Amino acid sequence: MRVLIIDSEKCTGCRMCELACSSFKEGEFIPERSRIRIVADALEGWSRPAVCLQCEDPMCMAVCPVQAISKTETPQGDRIVEVNTEKCIACGRCVVACPFGAIALFHKSKAIKCDLCGGSPRCVEFCFYGCLQFVELTETEYAKRTRKITALTRRACKEIGTEEPLRRRAVFSLEASRVTPGPGVSLDTGEGCP
Amino acid sequence: MLYGYKGKLLHIDLTREVSESVPIPDEILMKYIGGRGLGAKLFWDLVSPEADPLGPENIFMVLSGPLSGTMAPCTGKHLIVTKSPATGGWLEAYSSGLMAPQMKFAGYDGLVITGRAKHPVYVTIEDDRVDILDAHDLWGKGAFTTEKYVKESFHPDCGTICIGPAGENLVPFACVSSEYFRKAGRGGAGAVMGSKNLKLLAVKGSGGINCANVQGLYDLITKHYEKYKQSPVGSARKRYGTPLTLDITNAIGMLPTHNFSKGQFNRAIGKIDKDGVASATVADRACYACFLSCSKRTKVKEGVFKGLEIDGPEYETLAMLGSNLEIDYLPAIMRANYLCDDLGMDTISAGVVIGFVMECFERGILTKQDTGGLNLRFGNYDAVLQILELIASKRGFGAFCSQGVRAMAGSLGAGSEDFAMEVKGLEFPGYDPRAAWGAAITYAVTPRGACHRRAWPATKELLEGGGPFTTENKAEIVWKLMNENCVMHSLIVCDFPSKFIPLSVAEFAEYFNIITGLRYSEQDFIHRAETIETLIRRINIREGITAKDDFLPKRIIEEAHPEGPTKGKIIGLDNFLRMRSEYYSLRGWDDEGVPSQATIDKYGFEEEEEIAL
């Protein structure tokens, strides 16, 4: 299956991903409602995207009191964690639970998060620097990634305590961007992927 | 309401500590586009000719354009418009960062700041909430510390503009900072903020920007990205950024060296040129919504400045604080760049100011007694770094330098006026007009003083027509380029795509049409550019600027470079006046540079609605 991977070193801070995401999802350029957000320190000269990892054991799903969050797949079989907006009661527990600040609530809205645009993520399409890629993983690679996410989630939950979501995003986005097996993954792994 | 625009301004009165939203009629937006055009309209309507640039009557505006905050590439720029303390006339200064997009997300096409706060303040704007806060603790702090404070205490994604000590101390070449290393550098906008006791302004918006045809926009961006990928010039620019320009200007004798007495600096090669900067580069950075990432993050790897990191230095800084001062040690230029950024000073004017006092020192017009013991020989970067700090705080010899070259030459006399490199009080940028004479006319007639950004005719001069050392067609080349840039700067698009992909006015017109839903042709835009240029001319005339101010230092008109490709080439007064008069006539202005009644009538200034606060 395919996953969104982030090569933080390549991010230049142009924020095109936020604009692509929000315009596709909301019909207007509104980064505040982008599912992918840039964390940056221009003085220190770095930036990187923060976005949902589509966890195998999602904390957001675990805490949802009305089972509005579930694990599902895009038509092409990419695993995603999805919010059923009809069921969502906008209680905000998922926002508090996600250690990566990757799910959000806005004024009078339901919880919103990345759903990989149904299998063709717009942020990847408009990332002109190769920082965001959508790549096919083998079962072994995917399992390795899942183990890393689980370990990071545990640690993040412990360390982050009551930090507000905005700050969580900043604290763990770098490590979150490294959960995918690194240099072994190439963009060219098509259907014949070993 | 038009797509793309927000249709209103936020007016903040610092004297009364109140703010209000001011609607802008659609007709005005449609006529003046935004950015530079809208700034001209607002300046004409709102800024009194009697207003002292550093008095509470002056108005300070931050403006966006119709493409700002959207995905249209290379549009992450904002524009500051105010009356310049350097020239006493029209000032526009551009920078990039999150300011323009965040203003739009907060619901405003621009901010209009009036009055003067009773004590130092900073202002935060979150959608329709405006807070005017006490800035005593920030006053005196560098621009970096100031911005970092507000990013941490207000919002990490806020757009900001702020000043350093130079702005507080009303240095007429104090700049306005954003995103730490981005500067609205020219003409002293930072001093205007300082005069208003305004240390910083931050905006965070949670709203969105509508676009008439989002899918059309996606397609257009993809198409232009492909075009850019095919462009060898575009790729080279992405790789090297603006330092690549130094290799070109040095080759053709255009690189200011030794206070513009020479046009080449051989010691630059491999040290402060594209390769010099590339060897210090550690990462690429991009402005908002840009796919060109021309900004270079550099780091000093060894020596006394080891560990220093900045975004830059850009070409202008390499030229004005490098070759112009005969400094070939990149880490020293980076340190000077860092100091200027933190102190809040324009690196261009600072370089010209120091070049001027160095030449005065060399000629004995200034002595060690005057300079407070500083040995101001060319190449002495220690002295440069000391002077920068003295200027920003107006201490010792720095107080004298902080006046700018025009005032210094005025008080020194002794022929120093001939090599005081300024027009209308604004110091020269990093291109010597003697290497391609079109720049002579550009520098003379551009409304904010010596400025290369209204038109950079050298490429056309070298590739078309009679070559760089003639007056033939120069006025026409400059006139056309100025019109094109006026469109780009009213949309507020960076200069890079138009020059290096290249994307034409017609191509950017497509972005405008797709976003706003209007249907403007290239000709519609050029007509608006003509309108805007004439309105800005009227502004400067109202401020008392005349043809005699459209003039160049004697060094440019009458001196030749001693060697290189420009050796022996003298522009001469007659040639210069001929080009100037041709330019006036192309604009429909008389011999004194005053727009004729027919021209004024043509652009319909009298019929349009006046904007009042």
Side-chain angles (χ1 to χ4, degrees), chain B residues 73 119 439 453 501 510 528 603:
Chain B
H119 57 84
R453 292 199 60 236
I501 294 180
E510 286 186 70
R528 281 163 175 76
Y603 300 128

Side-chain angles (χ1 to χ4, degrees), chain A:
Chain A
M1 67 293 300
R2 296 175 300 175
V3 298
L4 186 67
I5 66 167
I6 300 168
D7 186 349
S8 296
E9 294 289 309
K10 289 186 178 157
C11 179
T12 61
C14 76
R15 294 177 186 255
M16 208 61 121
C17 52
E18 293 181 343
L19 293 169
C21 175
S22 64
S23 56
F24 182 66
K25 288 292 181 190
E26 306 283 336
E28 57 180 340
F29 297 104
I30 180 163
E32 191 70 15
R33 293 186 183 216
S34 171
R35 281 68 169 156
I36 185 165
R37 297 302 297 269
I38 292 296
V39 180
D41 187 325
L43 181 59
E44 290 175 10
W46 58 262
S47 58
R48 56 182 174 253
V51 66
C52 175
L53 299 171
Q54 318 293 350
C55 306
E56 277 297 318
D57 287 309
M59 300 297 285
C60 56
M61 186 172 93
V63 300
C64 179
V66 293
Q67 286 78 47
I69 300 176
S70 60
K71 289 200 294 174
T72 179
E73 287 184 355
T74 66
Q76 296 100 318
D78 316 306
R79 293 185 197 174
I80 54 167
V81 177
E82 198 175 59
V83 180
N84 180 335
T85 47
E86 298 202 346
K87 283 191 189 171
C88 175
I89 53 166
C91 68
R93 286 187 205 187
C94 53
V95 179
V96 179
C98 174
F100 310 113
I103 190 162
L105 269 185
F106 297 104
H107 315 293
K108 295 176 195 158
S109 86
K110 306 293 176 80
I112 60 170
K113 65 178 290 302
C114 170
D115 63 357
L116 300 176
C117 295
S120 49
R122 288 305 189 282
C123 55
V124 174
E125 191 182 330
F126 289 98
C127 177
F128 295 105
Y129 300 103
C131 165
L132 295 168
Q133 295 177 37
F134 197 45
V135 299
E136 185 83 31
L137 294 188
T138 63
E139 283 296 341
T140 323
E141 285 168 335
Y142 187 81
K144 194 174 166 193
R145 176 179 185 269
T146 300
R147 281 197 301 278
K148 282 193 188 172
I149 293 176
T150 309
L152 180 60
T153 304
R154 264 195 219 118
R155 192 160 64 78
C157 285
K158 204 186 292 172
E159 286 179 22
I160 222 142
T162 56
E163 294 272 18
E164 53 131 358
L166 200 68
R167 175 140 167 77
R168 289 179 204 183
R169 209 184 276 155
V171 174
F172 280 97
S173 57
L174 183 59
E175 288 171 82
S177 73
R178 289 176 178 158
V179 293
T180 309
V185 179
S186 95
L187 260 181
D188 300 318
T189 50
E191 286 178 5
C193 177

Side-chain angles (χ1 to χ4, degrees), chain B residues 397-416:
Chain B
F397 181 59
F400 176 71
C401 298
S402 74
Q403 306 171 83
V405 294
R406 173 178 272 200
M408 283 194 288
S411 67
L412 287 175
S416 67

Side-chain angles (χ1 to χ4, degrees), chain B residues 78-80 92-96 161 174-178 182-190 346 448:
Chain B
H78 58 268
L79 161 64
I80 290 169
E92 57 193 306
Y94 302 79
S95 182
S96 56
I161 52 169
C175 65
V176 175
S177 301
S178 41
R182 319 271 175 223
K183 310 286 159 177
R186 311 241 57 205
D346 177 21
R448 76 172 177 185

Side-chain angles (χ1 to χ4, degrees), chain B residues 422-437:
Chain B
E422 53 84 19
V423 175
K424 301 185 179 70
L426 185 73
E427 287 80 10
F428 265 49
Y431 308 92
D432 193 315
R434 285 167 290 179
W437 293 3

